[in-house]
Amino acid sequence: MTVRVRIAPSPTGNLHIGTARTAVFNWLFARHHGGKFILRIEDTDLERSRPEYTENILEGLRWLGLNWDEGPFFQSQRLDLYKEAVQKLLDQGLAYRCYTTSEELEALREAQKARGEAPRYDNRHRSLTPEQRAAYEAEGRSSVIRFKIEDGREIVWNDLVRGKMSWRGSDLGGDMVIARASEEGSGQPLYNFVVVVDDIDMQITHVIRGEDHIANTAKQILLYEAMGAKIPEFAHTPLILNMEGRKLSKRDGVTSISDFQKMGFTAEGLVNYMTLLGWSPPDSTQEIFTLEEAAKEFGFERVNKAGAKFDWDKLDWLNSQYIHKTPVDKLTDLLIPYWQAAGYKFDGGRVDAKRLLVRDRAWLEQLVTLISQSLTRLVDAVPQSQLFFTDTVEFSDEGSTQLKQEGSTAVLEGIVTALENQPQLSEAAAQDIIKQVVKEQKVKKGLVMRSLRAALTGDVHGPDLIQSWLLLNQIGLDKSRLSKAITEAN
């Protein structure tokens, strides 16, 4: 048997973290067994489905590296298949037309509520005669299509995550609507029905989805049986919860994959974290792995039943590990969009109107080398590199205080003088200038370093001072900042 699994998102919103985690588990299971991962877009909700959401889903899956083997298939293009399947059930007497009005259904629910009963359809139109159907149609009533569910039936399956599951037909709310009302024929087929038709047609062997779908499974098993199809195996994975133990929602902040991307998470870090949301590898000490590495070990025997709490600190840590080991050239490519979004300017080595060298690719890679190990998210590069993309800097309180320290002005003036003999600064030359000023001014090296940092960066804290100085020198900003700092000190 060739394993065939599917991810079937609805394009009524952006790709959600929960849907993406389900896609991860499907992908891992398929790759572990050398099977097929199929993408199906469930867009039968015509009012809420949007093409921009479809594109967001496709882009999100591609970004995460969850490449699919077949698809995408669109349910909106398969309506004839569903209507044909509905008609077969009608012809076999397994489904029927129900003419009950919305007012009658509401009255039924109110009566059941008054008696303390769970709401359910009472199957009142299951056995209408042709004359009764004709009479209802003469009244102008439209009909939904209902699938017959026997109350005494017990539906049992072995869930790959949860073990034996059992539902009684009487707990399923009466005969199930499988197609909406329509003036002619059958109307729009509904979720529980089209899912089964698609899974049969696509020969899906394993249905892997969130536990919020458990209630649908018993109904769907009955439909598989009615259509004479082999029932797939089911695996219902735990929900993603917030730290308070409630289902993760928009109230907890970002939940869509595109939002995580904007926040500066890498695809590798995020997909690694999602793999750990509900599954634990055989080696509990291993936390960092690629999708391909996880696929070799993946199995549902290590998927938890309990909900998986979303831990932002853990995600940040994992993300930082991927950033820190990313080669400089690739990391530069990843950071450029965030710098561009912040309005930072860089180019290929031009000289601008102020005779300052415009920041080029080689310079950008030096900057990335300087800040990479301090990044947790890619977007952190924006504030951490801001001082390198502005002509001047504002002095913090600590920076301003440092510049007013006794001897600071003389130190800075000594550095400016020394720089006149250094048209292009090197690391060795920068160290020599500091030693020279220490000796000439007869001050401690700490005063020189702190004053120089405050002058160049506006603060007393920041990235490596010498490397920062070299970067600023390459674009002609070190001397102007030293002059401004001397003015500030006075």
Side-chain angles (χ1 to χ4, degrees), residues 151-194:
D151 284 352
R153 173 67 192 277
E154 184 180 15
I155 305 100
V156 180
W157 75 93
N158 182 53
D159 195 281
L160 296 177
V161 175
R162 299 165 191 283
K164 182 180 178 180
M165 304 289 290
S166 177
W167 285 68
R168 292 189 61 80
S170 56
D171 295 328
L172 298 179
D175 292 341
M176 170 177 52
V177 178
I178 59 174
R180 292 190 180 97
S182 175
E183 295 299 327
E184 298 179 1
S186 59
Q188 185 78 27
L190 298 182
Y191 168 78
N192 273 316
F193 180 71
V194 297

Side-chain angles (χ1 to χ4, degrees), residues 312-487:
W312 286 96
D313 291 337
K314 182 66 171 291
L315 173 58
D316 276 332
W317 178 80
L318 273 173
N319 197 64
S320 70
Q321 302 308 300
Y322 280 94
I323 290 177
H324 297 167
K325 68 180 183 180
T326 300
V328 169
D329 58 340
K330 181 181 177 182
L331 185 54
T332 303
D333 290 336
L334 293 175
L335 294 179
I336 282 175
Y338 295 92
W339 283 329
Q340 289 174 327
Y344 294 171
K345 303 297 183 184
F346 41 87
D347 203 282
R350 296 181 295 103
V351 175
D352 68 10
K354 297 181 181 179
R355 308 304 298 168
L356 301 178
L357 184 65
V358 176
R359 298 139 184 89
D360 61 10
R361 175 73 188 205
W363 185 90
L364 290 176
E365 291 190 1
Q366 292 177 59
L367 174 59
V368 171
T369 301
L370 175 64
I371 66 173
S372 62
Q373 296 305 302
S374 63
L375 300 179
T376 298
R377 304 179 186 180
L378 296 173
V379 74
D380 294 342
V382 172
Q384 290 192 29
S385 59
Q386 182 179 17
L387 69 94
F388 298 99
F389 287 99
T390 54
D391 292 345
T392 61
V393 292
E394 298 298 323
F395 297 104
S396 68
D397 290 342
E398 289 180 287
S400 184
T401 299
Q402 177 60 44
L403 294 177
K404 290 180 170 58
Q405 292 287 319
E406 183 178 353
S408 180
T409 299
V411 162
L412 297 179
E413 289 173 341
I415 293 173
V416 170
T417 300
L419 276 172
E420 292 175 358
N421 300 318
Q422 295 289 341
Q424 187 168 357
L425 198 64
S426 66
E427 184 172 352
Q431 296 286 6
D432 287 343
I433 289 175
I434 291 171
K435 291 176 184 178
Q436 176 184 333
V437 171
V438 168
K439 184 178 180 180
E440 291 178 351
Q441 302 289 334
K442 295 183 175 56
V443 295
K444 291 184 178 180
K445 183 179 180 180
L447 174 66
V448 178
M449 299 293 280
R450 288 192 300 273
S451 299
L452 177 60
R453 180 182 293 280
L456 294 177
T457 71
D459 203 354
V460 295
H461 309 287
D464 182 88
L465 175 58
I466 299 300
Q467 296 305 314
S468 299
W469 188 6
L470 295 179
L471 283 168
L472 291 168
N473 178 266
Q474 288 179 45
I475 55 177
L477 289 180
D478 58 336
K479 294 177 183 177
S480 61
R481 290 190 184 180
L482 287 165
S483 297
K484 179 183 177 183
I486 292 170
T487 301

Side-chain angles (χ1 to χ4, degrees), residues 116-167:
E117 301 171 356
R120 54 174 282 123
Y121 178 61
D122 59 6
N123 305 340
R124 63 179 63 178
H125 285 181
R126 180 188 278 193
S127 302
L128 293 177
T129 65
E131 291 76 18
Q132 288 172 316
R133 288 199 297 271
Y136 282 130
E137 290 173 3
E139 292 179 20
R141 294 197 188 196
S142 57
S143 62
V144 299
I145 308 298
R146 288 187 181 269
F147 173 72
K148 294 179 180 179
I149 297 177
E150 301 304 329
D151 284 352
R153 173 67 192 277
E154 184 180 15
I155 305 100
V156 180
W157 75 93
N158 182 53
D159 195 281
L160 296 177
V161 175
R162 299 165 191 283
K164 182 180 178 180
M165 304 289 290
S166 177
W167 285 68

